[in-house]
Amino acid sequence: MKRTILSVFLMMAAMAVFAQREMNFVVEGPEKSYNQVRVVNETPYEDFHCRVVILNEDKTVKEVYGDYELKEKGDSDSNTKGSKEDRIQKGARLGVIFPKNFQHDLSFYVEYRDYPAFDVIVIHLTDKDGGYDEY
């Protein structure tokens, strides 16, 4: 009985850690669809990759939208899809995943931009421990 209870608590703790690393969101911008996703590195980390994926309702990966290479703080990378079938629809769920050896705990926020030729989803990666101290 004690082992069962301990196993349940360990599994809950592992799920909580996974939930903290889970980076996904529902597209809620003003446009009906988007043809570009840009990722901006606002972390102190350099030379890493991430992948933006389109998720099913149960948060499993439906398809890979694109891979992104980020060099230093302030760097960005984007992927643009030309055909109407490849556009990301409002209400779609997107996720950001990292290679298995990437050990940093990041956060993010999303903005939507409307340009003449592009409707862009901008994902800003931030350091989870970032911010500033008040005086």
Side-chain angles (χ1 to χ4, degrees), residues 21-37:
R21 294 189 55 90
E22 187 175 314
M23 296 177 66
N24 68 78
F25 63 96
V26 174
V27 175
E28 297 178 338
E31 303 297 326
K32 292 180 182 178
S33 64
Y34 294 84
N35 62 333
Q36 185 178 92
V37 175

Side-chain angles (χ1 to χ4, degrees), residues 35-126:
N35 62 333
Q36 185 178 92
V37 175
R38 182 176 305 146
V39 178
V40 180
N41 180 15
E42 296 182 12
T43 74
Y45 310 115
E46 297 181 344
D47 296 319
F48 65 93
H49 295 85
C50 66
R51 178 174 284 171
V52 173
V53 293
I54 300 171
L55 300 172
N56 293 308
E57 289 297 318
D58 64 356
K59 297 183 184 176
T60 58
V61 176
K62 180 178 181 180
E63 67 181 271
V64 173
Y65 184 81
D67 291 312
Y68 299 80
E69 181 178 344
L70 300 166
K71 299 290 185 195
E72 68 269 341
K73 186 172 185 168
D75 191 24
S76 67
D77 193 7
S78 60
N79 279 292
T80 305
K81 305 292 182 171
S83 69
K84 290 188 178 192
E85 301 85 42
D86 291 334
R87 292 178 69 92
I88 296 174
Q89 301 299 314
K90 184 174 185 171
R93 180 173 291 280
L94 296 183
V96 181
I97 56 177
F98 298 90
K100 291 180 181 180
N101 64 351
F102 187 79
Q103 298 299 315
H104 305 291
D105 201 13
L106 302 182
S107 186
F108 74 101
Y109 66 94
V110 178
E111 71 173 305
Y112 304 92
R113 294 186 183 167
D114 181 23
Y115 297 112
F118 302 103
D119 294 314
V120 185
I121 299 168
V122 183
I123 303 170
H124 298 267
L125 300 178
T126 59

Side-chain angles (χ1 to χ4, degrees), residues 1-10:
M1 181 70 169
K2 289 181 183 179
R3 287 185 185 174
T4 304
I5 293 172
L6 181 60
S7 297
V8 169
F9 282 123
L10 288 174

